[in-house]
Amino acid sequence: MAAKLEKLKQQDSQQYLQALHKVIAPQFTKSTKKGIKKTEFEIVLDKVHYRQLVQDGPVKMMLGSSTYKYNAKQLVLSEKALQVIADDRKFDETQKDDNLIAVYDEILSIVNQSFDLYDINGFRKKLNDNRDQFIDLPAETKYEGRKVVAHGKREMILEILKGLHANAAFGNLKPIGFSTAFGQLQVPNGIILSKNAILIHQSPSGLFERKIKLSDL
């Protein structure tokens, strides 16, 4: 229907919206034991681009689909934390374990303060609750030949950073008790935005942007 809708949009905007409504209507129709249930809906925005940037309260995200959110907040760590992660030999080897725990705690503090999006799938709570499992790991990943026999703290921190990055990447935190890929921000029943949500349109360079409040559409 996309080609037909696009042609109709150029000819008559009102007929286009009516036709689009008919195309979408089956998604709001369910069969129940009592018969067919139709949910009334209104088209607020006819087209939403992939990775549309949205600010909804404290949450800044990109839309990956009708059910997937991608984090759009950048995590900023201290210079010391970056040096510990890079393992650039500036610190005593005997302090490596404590330094890596300190980095975990720094990340945890920032996530608790401003990464509300990670309440999806209980990610933020698990980072707090599973801290002891992280502490029990060795500083570095241990191998027997090519086989991993014990995952290390540094590896887990890198996986955490992967899941917190402002993109669609996931981290593997199974060694510290996560069953779901870290950063897989899925809302199975569909993403719901508040009326105060703001759609942000940026130029390719990021120097210019235009903001539209959902309630103004």
Side-chain angles (χ1 to χ4, degrees):
M1 291 298 295
K4 293 181 180 180
L5 287 169
E6 190 61 35
K7 186 176 180 180
L8 194 58
K9 185 177 183 179
Q10 296 172 8
Q11 297 173 348
D12 189 314
S13 59
Q14 191 59 40
Q15 287 188 27
Y16 160 70
L17 287 175
Q18 290 174 358
L20 180 59
H21 195 284
K22 288 181 180 179
V23 171
I24 298 173
Q27 297 182 44
F28 292 84
T29 304
K30 294 182 179 180
S31 296
T32 66
K33 292 181 179 180
K34 296 181 179 180
I36 302 298
K37 180 182 179 182
K38 294 183 179 180
T39 303
E40 294 299 319
F41 67 94
E42 177 186 357
I43 298 172
V44 180
L45 186 63
D46 65 324
K47 185 179 289 185
V48 179
H49 293 287
Y50 176 60
R51 295 200 176 190
Q52 170 66 56
L53 187 60
V54 178
Q55 180 81 46
D56 196 358
V59 172
K60 191 174 185 180
M61 62 186 172
M62 295 175 286
L63 301 179
S65 72
S66 62
T67 60
Y68 272 98
K69 301 179 181 182
Y70 300 152
N71 172 50
K73 275 191 175 181
Q74 293 287 358
L75 178 73
V76 180
L77 296 175
S78 67
E79 185 66 29
K80 181 178 179 180
L82 295 175
Q83 290 173 351
V84 170
I85 293 168
D87 190 24
D88 56 8
R89 310 301 179 187
K90 288 191 176 182
F91 305 99
D92 191 329
E93 281 291 305
T94 60
Q95 296 297 314
K96 180 184 288 188
D97 215 61
D98 290 339
N99 286 334
L100 289 168
I101 294 171
V103 172
Y104 184 94
D105 288 338
E106 183 175 329
I107 293 171
L108 194 58
S109 176
I110 297 169
V111 170
N112 286 337
Q113 185 176 355
S114 59
F115 278 68
D116 298 54
L117 187 58
Y118 285 78
D119 285 335
I120 294 175
N121 289 324
F123 286 137
R124 186 155 62 169
K125 185 176 187 299
K126 287 176 184 174
L127 279 177
N128 285 273
D129 292 348
N130 298 9
R131 180 177 179 272
D132 287 344
Q133 293 187 47
F134 173 82
I135 291 174
D136 289 341
L137 299 176
E140 304 291 352
T141 301
K142 297 185 181 299
Y143 297 86
E144 285 184 1
R146 294 184 178 181
K147 183 181 178 181
V148 175
V149 293
H151 294 274
K153 290 184 175 69
R154 189 185 312 282
E155 179 191 347
M156 288 300 98
I157 286 174
L158 292 174
E159 291 296 317
I160 290 170
L161 294 179
K162 189 187 297 183
L164 289 174
H165 199 69
N167 59 22
F170 302 148
N172 179 9
L173 300 185
K174 287 183 179 180
I176 56 172
F178 284 66
S179 56
T180 305
F182 183 61
Q184 185 174 325
L185 306 170
Q186 185 181 22
V187 185
N189 294 326
I191 295 170
I192 297 175
L193 301 178
S194 75
K195 64 180 181 179
N196 295 317
I198 297 170
L199 305 180
I200 304 172
H201 301 278
Q202 294 181 328
S203 64
S205 65
L207 294 175
F208 304 98
E209 67 177 26
R210 180 168 59 95
K211 296 182 178 182
I212 303 173
K213 197 172 182 181
L214 207 57
S215 60
D216 291 337
L217 293 173

